[in-house]
Amino acid sequence: MSKSASRARLFEIIRRRSFGRGEVTLASGRKSDFYFNLKPTMLDPEGATLLAELTYETLKDDELDFIGGLEMGAVPLAGALAQISWIKGHPIAAFFVRKKPKEHGAKLAIEGLPKGETLQGKRVVIVEDVTTTGGSAMKAVESVRETGAEVVLVLTMVDREEGADDTFGAAGLPFRSLYKASEFLKA
């Protein structure tokens, strides 16, 4: 399937499985009359595959070491991308950032790295399912930067177009999205 055909098919899956109308309160605290819940798309076999393929195509030339982001939205995305990157012969490892470090065991804030491995000096992309103001992704950015990693990009599947580009611009971070909310609002 061509990139444009994959993008069109994924758009339909997101529209059908993950986009809705109705008043909701967003993570930012704002009220909205539409919402995206990408979990049904990220956990659908075809949706997960298309998200991973399109994400890989978007990132393959960025010379990345790792992809990850804040739990829960980043976990399925990072895992699927890690798998497809291996299949395509250009592996990008995955991790995720806990919203709060575990209070037992190793008490880690960043999960997915083997004992003794860190993100220090690594090129990292922060990934997110849906971005509104960018606050959630910035929590992941801050945690990853504290390890000494270089955050080279923030990538979201859907940009709600409500200020994230300004947030990331102010932090000196490039920001990309696979889709914009306006595409779904017009459909």
Side-chain angles (χ1 to χ4, degrees):
M1 191 180 309
S2 72
K3 185 176 177 180
S4 62
S6 292
R7 190 178 189 285
R9 176 65 185 141
L10 181 57
F11 179 90
E12 285 306 313
I13 293 169
I14 293 171
R15 189 185 59 73
R16 184 173 38 85
R17 295 180 63 90
S18 297
F19 173 70
R21 296 276 190 172
E23 187 173 311
V24 294
T25 302
L26 306 171
S28 65
R30 295 181 187 183
K31 299 276 187 203
S32 179
D33 65 349
F34 68 94
Y35 62 90
F36 292 93
N37 173 7
L38 251 61
K39 278 70 168 180
T41 296
M42 293 187 299
L43 298 173
D44 172 73
E46 184 182 12
T49 301
L50 291 170
L51 278 168
E53 286 178 351
L54 289 169
T55 300
Y56 176 79
E57 288 301 315
T58 299
L59 299 174
K60 69 181 181 183
D61 298 325
D62 289 321
E63 299 176 18
L64 301 170
D65 298 306
F66 284 89
I67 184 170
L70 198 63
E71 65 175 334
M72 179 68 216
V75 174
L77 294 169
L81 186 276
Q83 180 180 14
I84 204 137
S85 70
W86 174 261
I87 290 168
K88 301 239 182 210
H90 183 78
I92 303 169
F95 68 90
F96 72 91
V97 178
R98 290 187 175 277
K99 291 179 182 173
K100 182 175 122 177
K102 283 175 37 175
E103 295 181 9
H104 61 282
K107 300 180 181 181
L108 299 173
I110 296 179
E111 294 279 4
L113 305 176
K115 186 176 179 179
E117 187 173 343
T118 71
L119 296 175
Q120 186 172 358
K122 303 295 185 183
R123 291 176 52 83
V124 173
V125 63
I126 298 298
V127 68
E128 189 167 54
D129 53 351
V130 180
T131 306
T132 303
T133 62
S136 293
M138 282 306 298
K139 289 177 186 171
V141 166
E142 290 161 9
S143 290
V144 168
R145 282 181 168 168
E146 285 174 9
T147 70
E150 177 189 2
V151 178
V152 297
L153 171 70
V154 176
L155 174 68
T156 188
M157 303 304 102
V158 178
D159 177 11
R160 287 183 53 95
E161 302 174 276
E162 295 181 29
D165 51 350
D166 293 332
T167 298
F168 300 127
L173 289 167
F175 176 56
R176 292 186 214 153
S177 64
L178 292 183
Y179 298 95
K180 304 278 189 200
S182 56
E183 296 174 71
F184 294 90
L185 293 169
K186 289 186 237 175

